[in-house]
Amino acid sequence: MLSPNKKPGLRPLVAALTALTLAAGLTAAHANDGLPKIPNKKPLKVGFAQTESNNPWRLAETKSFKDIAAKCGWQMVMTDANSSAAKQVSDIQSMIAQHVDLLVFPPREEKPLVPVVMQAKKAGIPVILVDRNIDQSMAKAGRDYLTFIGSDFIDQGQRAADWLVKSTGGKATIIELEGSTGASAANDRKKGFDDVIAKNPGMKIVASQSGDFARDKGRQVMETLLQAHPDVTAVYAHNDEMALGAIAAIKAAGKQPGKDITIVTIDGTKGGLEAIKAGELGASVQSSPFFGPLACDVAQKYAKGETIPPWVKVSDRFYDKSNVDESMKYGY
Ligand code: AHR
């Protein structure tokens, strides 16, 4: 069992992980057969290939791996793909060439990272995907790589939509700011949200465009879309950073975020929570970036011979004005 992380949000996650692992152990005794093993040595050379470092979520994720490394007996090899799936692929290929003992990474996009996962398997290196997943019709968790540790992004989108339907009385003209094109986080958050909205005849998405999960891109896209749709009454942003960019664009257009335009988002960053407190952001579904301790726990269990389920699901909190004060401690 992991030693508890200082972040208060981690304990329920670890408990969920333990429960899932135990459940899977009872039902699928040999689910990890045929996958590369983690060598029994210390330190373990672990490759962590980050997608980019342009927002607090990514920085918190990287920090959680740096923080856990010594405790877990990991010697980290870390890279940053600067928002390029092609660079992330070559970063991982170089880690394979260096013979790391374990690969842990968030695939920037669902399809381009599939071949490198297969290359790692062929090279005998176990892979744990965190945060985002790859296309399951091309490669499967539990068969081609050990597991995916992460949130249910479809559920996050549904929860954002449910809140918006409720808080607007089922009537809204919506702009959607999508995450990075091709990322599982963007695809699934869109699906979850759009499916709920489609069932509500008074709710209409008038524009949906990528802001690449980045604050300034979100601001620019919102600026353009506001000109085309001045009658908009709601914004759904796939992450807090784009929502904060949208808030800046709304203010620049002379409108009041939170009054003229209701905004809902996903992440639960410090900036997002502060915007809820200021009444500018309506709500944010939490998406935890603290994968370091979870990945360590999974790797240690796997090394001991325990069976790991294909999806170690992380559960998420929900923040709005009703609980923002006591939730500030979870921001990052
Ligand atoms: O994959 C998770 C998403 O990616 C987070 O919501 C976002 O902030 C990040 O860049």
Side-chain angles (χ1 to χ4, degrees), residues 51-52 54-55 57-58 106 131-132 153 156 180 183-185 189 212-213 238-241 266-267 269 287 332:
T51 57
E52 55 249 314
N54 62 352
N55 77 41
W57 197 100
R58 292 281 139 209
D131 150 30
R132 297 183 191 167
F153 292 137
Q156 290 179 343
S180 305
S184 65
R189 285 174 183 174
D212 205 14
F213 281 128
H238 288 191
N239 78 344
D240 283 5
E241 282 295 288
I266 296 170
D267 266 358
T269 58
S287 196
Y332 44 89

Side-chain angles (χ1 to χ4, degrees), residues 92-265:
I92 294 163
Q93 281 169 337
S94 137
M95 290 171 182
I96 294 173
Q98 289 172 54
H99 303 291
V100 295
D101 300 308
L102 170 68
L103 273 165
V104 185
F105 62 94
R108 187 172 201 277
E109 289 150 41
E110 280 191 303
K111 294 185 200 300
L113 275 296
V114 171
V116 86
V117 167
M118 303 309 283
Q119 284 163 26
K121 183 184 179 190
K122 208 168 158 204
I125 300 172
V127 174
I128 295 174
L129 296 184
V130 291
D131 150 30
R132 297 183 191 167
N133 211 344
I134 50 174
D135 188 327
Q136 293 301 290
S137 69
M138 297 168 79
K140 276 213 180 323
R143 185 191 71 191
D144 300 313
Y145 57 99
L146 183 57
T147 188
F148 166 60
I149 308 177
S151 296
D152 183 337
F153 292 137
I154 294 182
D155 182 64
Q156 290 179 343
Q158 287 169 345
R159 292 171 79 191
D162 287 340
W163 179 88
L164 193 62
V165 171
K166 209 168 161 204
S167 66
T168 59
K171 204 171 157 0
T173 304
I174 308 162
I175 285 176
E176 179 168 353
L177 296 176
E178 299 172 23
S180 305
T181 306
S184 65
N187 292 342
D188 291 354
R189 285 174 183 174
K190 178 166 181 59
K191 183 179 171 20
F193 182 84
D194 291 10
D195 285 354
V196 172
I197 296 303
K199 290 182 195 129
N200 287 271
M203 312 278 293
K204 194 163 183 242
I205 300 168
V206 288
S208 186
Q209 202 176 306
S210 174
D212 205 14
F213 281 128
R215 188 185 296 207
D216 202 50
K217 190 80 190 294
R219 183 190 58 74
Q220 288 169 31
V221 172
M222 186 66 197
E223 222 169 72
T224 309
L225 293 180
L226 256 181
Q227 281 164 16
H229 304 281
D231 57 335
V232 69
T233 60
V235 171
Y236 165 49
H238 288 191
N239 78 344
D240 283 5
E241 282 295 288
M242 291 191 296
L244 295 174
I247 286 173
I250 290 166
K251 284 180 178 170
K255 296 186 188 244
Q256 263 192 291
K259 294 217 162 58
D260 301 321
I261 300 180
T262 305
I263 305 159
V264 63
T265 179

